[in-house]
Amino acid sequence: MPSLAVIGSQWGDEGKGKIIDYLDEEADLIVRFQGGNNAGHTIVVGDKVFKLHGLPSGVVRPGKLAVIGNGTVVNIEELLQEIEQVESVGGSIEGLRISDRAALIMNYHKKLDGAEEKYRGNKPVGTTKKGIGPAYQDKIARIGFRAGDLLEEDTLKEKISLLIPYKKDLMNMLGAEGCSCTNESLLEKMTGWGEKIGKYICDTGVLINEALDEGKKVMLEGAQGAMLDIDHGTYPYVTSSSTVGGGICSGSGIAPNRLTGCLGVVKAYTTRVGEGPFVTELHGEEEEILQKKGGEFGVTTGRGRRCGWLDLVVVNHAKTLCGFTSLAITKLDVLNDYETLPVCTEYEIDGKRTKYFPGSIKNLEKAKPIYTELKGWKGWDDTEALVKGGYDALPDEMKTYIEFIEKNTGVPADLISVGADRDQTINRKADWWN
Ligand code: GDP
Ligand code: IMO
Ligand code: MG
């Protein structure tokens, strides 16, 4: 019953999509277990580029089951658009399955997302405005729609008549742009969604557990990153789901003893989109250079990503929360041509050193990074040659950088990524499923 989870160890955009795609050739199922279309996972295969938001990365390789698990939030209208887009570049949704328990993102959630951001005044979260927070709020408040409701007209009618007056009042109160729908028009729209998407809706918990019983290989695709976790991230500058190890089980319906491997994806430097503290952040020209070299612009919102040096306090926090058994280090090629590469191993807060990530935002804002300066590598921009030579042929300084990460986390760097393409990857582990 092998399973392999892939989780971002920073604030998202670590290259999870690329790594999942590289490893899922042998997988039978690829399961998204949390988050929604706030995610933007890029997969590059030759001249084809897939930008996935709500769909699991499994849609890139025909023949896989691509499962949207119960812990996710799904915007059906945007999912239908994404399906069209993915099919137009050669993806296949034959294997798509959507959990009957997945929460739905409604139009009013998007509007409320914008209104709530305004209410936060000069301290917005910087959300993707996809309605993620309001949809999870409704799930927890037990007043949300679930995908399975689309198959039951009576349930839809009941929920619509209860919810719509309430949501309209709420939007008025918050000054959100109003919603012109009536109970009847919404029922018609949602019944239409059911007709289009109903054949994909099922009990995905049963599907995944039976697959594991049969010895099939299940990949669990994390979205966002550990530092955006609702409990363990930089609250309140986080997303609204459990992005760490615990979220895998509750969001897919499998028990903890069925998890056999967890790969942490570590970008060789750090980025973050949206607001919130970022201890190793660069500013001005230094940040611009790294942003440009790394192409650090959001897949979902197009916003420029904030950039900074690698922070191992962050990666170790993620390791503790996810139990990483391997690391994939991505975007090492972007660090080509730096004289020195600072790596943060501890914070200093009020004159005291700590290697643990603080819970208080106020403390985090005061934290100063303690850096170890490692030597950079120069002139290694031929990624084809880098991959061809394998790990041993990598520049010595790059190996020292990788080994510094291994030593400071205690986790082997089993995958090394030096380019966006599937082929620009060095694999140091013979069997990922044992
Ligand atoms: P995700 O959200 O974690 O899947 O990551 P994104 O797709 O949002 O952002 C990662 C970006 O870096 C994408 O444009 C990838 O195509 C690209 N990428 C992934 N790995 C590498 C790498 O090793 N080198 C370079 N240069 N780009 C990479
Ligand atoms: P992937 O899967 C990077 C950030 C937003 C914002 C915060 C809350 O591509 O790594 P939300 O819309 O979720 O309520 O926004 O979380 N955020 C991401 N940042 N990568 C992502 O996904 C993100 N998904 C959400 O920018 O700061
Ligand atoms: Mg992304």
Side-chain angles (χ1 to χ4, degrees):
M1 50 156 211
S3 68
L4 178 63
V6 176
I7 299 192
S9 69
Q10 294 150 319
W11 278 281
D13 303 326
E14 297 89 350
K16 298 175 292 295
K18 172 195 161 150
I19 296 301
I20 290 158
D21 172 67
Y22 178 81
L23 288 174
D24 70 9
E25 189 172 9
E26 281 182 53
D28 299 290
L29 280 81
I30 295 93
V31 182
R32 276 281 308 268
F33 53 87
Q34 47 70 227
N37 60 337
N38 48 347
H41 296 178
T42 317
I43 297 173
V44 183
V45 189
D47 58 0
K48 284 187 185 164
V49 179
F50 297 86
K51 290 179 189 284
L52 303 172
H53 299 284
L55 286 170
S57 295
V59 296
V60 170
R61 292 187 197 259
K64 312 276 174 201
L65 285 186
V67 179
I68 300 182
N70 62 276
T72 63
V73 282
V74 187
N75 182 320
I76 302 284
E77 271 174 1
E78 294 186 15
L79 188 74
L80 290 167
Q81 287 165 14
E82 189 178 337
I83 288 172
E84 259 183 44
Q85 207 269 324
V86 160
E87 285 184 327
S88 75
V89 278
S92 162
I93 60 141
E94 278 290 293
L96 180 65
R97 301 290 180 273
I98 304 171
S99 169
D100 53 0
R101 292 160 170 88
L104 297 188
I105 303 177
M106 306 293 286
N107 234 335
Y108 50 77
H109 291 135
K110 285 181 73 170
K111 291 180 176 168
L112 289 167
D113 197 347
E116 285 177 3
E117 279 286 79
K118 275 193 201 143
Y119 262 81
R120 294 188 184 109
N122 65 357
K123 293 205 164 161
V125 172
T127 73
T128 58
K129 306 240 172 79
K130 291 285 181 187
I132 305 296
Y136 274 117
Q137 284 169 30
D138 277 5
K139 168 177 167 165
I140 301 300
R142 297 155 293 182
I143 54 166
F145 287 101
R146 292 172 135 195
D149 297 344
L150 298 174
L151 307 177
E152 297 173 4
E153 197 175 326
D154 284 357
T155 309
L156 279 182
K157 276 187 189 156
E158 259 169 51
K159 285 194 173 179
I160 287 173
S161 60
L162 272 174
L163 277 171
I164 296 313
Y166 165 52
K167 290 294 170 186
K168 284 192 168 174
D169 283 352
L170 186 63
M171 283 194 287
N172 274 338
M173 204 175 81
L174 292 179
E177 189 195 323
C179 176
S180 58
C181 69
T182 60
N183 290 13
E184 293 70 30
S185 69
L186 187 59
L187 179 65
E188 197 184 321
K189 191 192 230 183
M190 294 184 81
T191 316
W193 292 347
E195 281 159 12
K196 286 190 186 127
I197 213 103
K199 64 178 173 188
Y200 302 112
I201 298 174
C202 64
D203 186 335
T204 55
V206 168
L207 186 80
I208 302 166
N209 278 297
E210 283 188 354
L212 287 167
D213 291 343
E214 290 163 20
K216 290 193 173 147
K217 294 172 178 152
V218 175
M219 281 204 83
L220 298 141
E221 172 172 1
Q224 290 80 53
M227 302 312 296
L228 289 169
D229 182 80
I230 185 71
D231 289 283
H232 303 282
T234 43
Y235 188 89
Y237 303 101
V238 291
T239 192
S240 299
S241 64
S242 292
T243 60
V244 296
I248 303 171
C249 295
S250 59
S252 62
I254 63 172
N257 62 354
R258 309 207 84 163
L259 300 176
T260 49
C262 186
L263 170 67
V265 187
V266 182
K267 195 182 282 192
Y269 48 96
T270 312
T271 61
R272 151 158 230 182
V273 199
E275 304 302 320
F278 179 173
V279 177
T280 61
E281 185 169 17
L282 289 167
H283 298 281
E285 204 189 343
E286 270 194 308
E287 181 176 41
E288 265 172 47
I289 292 171
L290 191 48
Q291 190 184 56
K292 212 166 154 202
K293 273 167 78 94
E296 296 297 351
F297 297 91
V299 182
T300 302
T301 59
R303 289 178 290 179
R305 296 174 182 149
R306 297 155 65 194
C307 296
W309 299 123
L310 181 62
D311 184 341
L312 292 179
V313 179
V314 160
V315 176
N316 272 319
H317 188 53
K319 174 199 116 173
T320 304
L321 295 163
C322 305
F324 294 148
T325 46
S326 290
L327 298 180
I329 305 184
T330 60
K331 303 194 94 163
L332 278 158
D333 52 303
V334 174
L335 295 183
N336 190 27
D337 281 342
Y338 277 96
E339 205 64 58
T340 52
L341 294 168
V343 178
C344 173
T345 51
E346 283 183 291
Y347 296 160
E348 189 187 299
I349 303 171
D350 291 333
K352 284 195 195 124
R353 281 192 177 204
T354 179
K355 57 183 172 114
Y356 297 113
F357 198 83
S360 149
I361 286 290
K362 291 254 161 21
N363 280 341
L364 203 49
E365 278 164 354
K366 286 190 280 186
K368 293 190 186 82
I370 309 288
Y371 285 120
T372 300
E373 303 267 341
L374 297 179
K375 212 163 169 250
W377 50 92
K378 283 183 171 256
W380 289 88
D381 46 10
D382 182 354
T383 52
E384 209 176 303
L386 277 179
V387 173
K388 213 168 164 198
Y391 185 79
D392 291 340
L394 290 178
D396 286 343
E397 298 84 354
M398 197 191 275
K399 281 191 284 193
T400 305
Y401 194 80
I402 294 165
E403 284 154 26
F404 187 82
I405 299 171
E406 290 182 315
K407 188 163 167 266
N408 278 273
T409 57
V411 187
D414 287 325
L415 274 186
I416 305 298
S417 173
V418 291
D421 196 274
R422 191 187 270 174
D423 291 338
Q424 291 170 310
T425 317
I426 296 171
N427 184 358
R428 302 170 74 198
K429 189 172 162 115
D431 185 356
W432 284 88
W433 297 99
N434 262 315

